[in-house]
Amino acid sequence: MNSAEQQGNRRIGKWMMFAAWLLGFTMLLLYFNYFLEKEQNPNQSVYSRTGESGQTEVVLQRNRYGHYVSNGQINGTTVQFMLDTGATDVAIPEKLANRLSLRKGAEKRYNTANGIVTAYSTMLDSVAIGPIVKPKVRASINNGLKGNEIVLGMSVLKRIELTLSGVTEILSTPGVSQHPEIT
């Protein structure tokens, strides 16, 4: 093997080593991203069961920050909720409301932990967490909320029985209507 061939082989070897490191780094990045998403939302796949009295129950795990975050649906579109018994309505970030094609209604003012905010009323056809579906839900479009997390407030939660048990929260409702797209 001559010198030119050896240099060519070294060059290929260096690129192969670089590609292997890049692939390894990408795999680690994807793994840690998945791990962080699981810590933020441990309820990406909603777990439901039948309770002792025959009602459907959804069991949610608390995330590492002490919040109950879960995937669900608004008007058939998958979204991420954070349950908040201190919130009056379902509060939707404006950017997400636009994606969901929600119409802004009357302007309203809400007194929140971050002060007084202006939001716009809207009505949701349905809100679902697992098999628990609530039709005709009052909500607000809030341009002060950032990200894609929707605050699931009392306009839904008052229609569901909540039971806290350690690090789990059980949502249940008698006579639950089944949502065909969610298992």
Side-chain angles (χ1 to χ4, degrees):
M1 187 179 310
N2 66 29
S3 174
E5 287 177 339
Q6 287 178 339
Q7 281 184 329
N9 286 343
R10 281 191 201 129
R11 203 173 297 137
I12 290 171
K14 286 180 182 179
W15 279 108
M16 294 290 281
M17 183 65 77
F18 176 74
W21 276 101
L22 186 62
L23 180 62
F25 179 72
T26 302
M27 296 298 285
L28 280 172
L29 186 66
L30 290 173
Y31 171 75
F32 285 117
N33 187 47
Y34 171 78
F35 178 74
L36 290 173
E37 283 180 8
K38 262 315 230 191
E39 279 194 345
Q40 169 63 23
N41 180 2
N43 305 297
Q44 293 179 18
S45 297
V46 177
Y47 170 69
S48 64
R49 65 185 185 200
T50 302
E52 292 177 12
S53 62
Q55 64 202 41
T56 300
E57 297 178 340
V58 171
V59 180
L60 301 179
Q61 297 298 315
R62 185 174 63 195
N63 71 12
R64 72 178 285 188
Y65 308 107
H67 301 133
Y68 292 94
V69 177
S70 175
N71 284 357
Q73 292 191 339
I74 288 181
N75 300 345
T77 301
T78 299
V79 296
Q80 183 172 292
F81 294 118
M82 180 177 73
L83 282 66
D84 185 352
T85 57
T88 304
D89 290 337
V90 174
I92 305 167
E94 186 172 25
K95 182 177 97 175
L96 187 54
N98 292 336
R99 194 185 87 195
L100 294 168
S101 301
L102 299 177
R103 284 184 271 155
K104 285 183 178 180
E107 186 176 294
K108 298 173 89 176
R109 298 212 184 272
Y110 290 91
N111 191 8
T112 71
N114 294 326
I116 297 174
V117 298
T118 300
Y120 301 91
S121 63
T122 192
M123 185 63 74
L124 307 175
D125 293 333
S126 66
V127 171
I129 298 180
I132 297 176
V133 180
K134 295 299 171 189
K136 302 293 180 205
V137 174
R138 188 181 68 239
S140 64
I141 299 170
N142 185 331
N143 61 2
L145 289 175
K146 304 300 176 207
N148 289 317
E149 196 169 77
I150 294 171
V151 177
L152 192 64
M154 291 306 291
S155 61
V156 170
L157 297 177
K158 70 182 177 187
R159 298 160 65 181
I160 298 172
E161 184 177 314
L162 306 174
T163 307
L164 289 175
S165 176
V167 296
T168 61
E169 183 167 25
I170 300 169
L171 312 177
S172 60
T173 182
V176 173
S177 61
Q178 296 297 317
H179 197 288
E181 290 100 21
I182 301 177
T183 57

